């Protein structure tokens, strides 16, 4: 199983980006998916998560600006980021709890995608 994160880039403050986290390989089911971010000198922060039942959770710092969603047919989770602020700049990574065979579950990490926000 592999997770591919994409969609990062450079955007002006107030702008938007959409990150994607796509899972591929031997997948029976995807449970919870979480987007994390980390910037230099700061601890890793859970930004948003979504369960298989579409229950979402957001860090207070992004509530009202970020939206997490999933497309089960594409094994993909999206993070729509609006009204971006310079403090949102970070490397974003996704983590997914995946079952390859409905009898065991594993956590997988995607590679980071860099989000840069200019003021």
């Amino acid at each position: 199983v592999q997770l591919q994160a994409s969609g990062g880039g450079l955007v002006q403050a107030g702008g938007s980006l959409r990150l994607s986290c796509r899972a591929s390989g031997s997948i029976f089911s995807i449970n919870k998916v979480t987007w994390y971010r980390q910037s230099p000198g700061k601890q890793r922060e859970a930004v948003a998560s979504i369960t298989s039942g579409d229950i979402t959770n957001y860090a207070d710092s992004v509530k009202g600006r970020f939206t997490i969603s999933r497309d089960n047919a594409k094994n993909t989770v999206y993070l729509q980021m609006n009204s971006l602020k310079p403090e949102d700049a970070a490397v974003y990574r996704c983590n997914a709890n995946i079952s390859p065979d409905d009898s065991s579950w594993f956590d997988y990490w995607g590679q980071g995608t860099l989000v840069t926000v200019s003021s």
Side-chain angles (χ1 to χ4, degrees):
V1 174
Q2 289 188 328
L3 288 183
Q4 179 72 36
S6 62
L10 172 63
V11 64
Q12 286 188 334
S16 299
L17 283 173
R18 189 178 79 157
L19 306 184
S20 299
C21 176
R22 179 178 175 273
S24 61
S26 178
I27 298 169
F28 180 85
S29 182
I30 302 175
N31 191 9
K32 185 177 181 180
V33 179
T34 304
W35 280 100
Y36 292 86
R37 68 184 181 188
Q38 188 168 21
S39 54
K42 293 186 178 180
Q43 287 190 331
R44 186 175 63 196
E45 174 189 24
V47 175
S49 65
I50 186 167
T51 68
S52 57
D54 288 337
I55 296 173
T56 59
N57 193 41
Y58 297 93
D60 288 342
S61 57
V62 306
K63 281 181 181 176
R65 300 187 297 121
F66 290 12
T67 302
I68 189 169
S69 61
R70 62 194 294 160
D71 184 335
N72 293 326
K74 295 181 179 180
N75 288 334
T76 301
V77 168
Y78 303 99
L79 184 67
Q80 178 67 42
M81 307 186 295
N82 298 329
S83 302
L84 282 161
K85 304 175 180 180
E87 51 263 42
D88 293 319
V91 174
Y92 285 71
R93 297 182 70 192
C94 55
N95 171 275
N97 186 241
I98 297 174
S99 174
D101 54 14
D102 199 29
S103 63
S104 55
W105 294 85
F106 303 93
D107 276 346
Y108 295 90
W109 286 92
Q111 88 290 4
T113 185
L114 178 63
V115 173
T116 305
V117 183
S118 63
S119 56

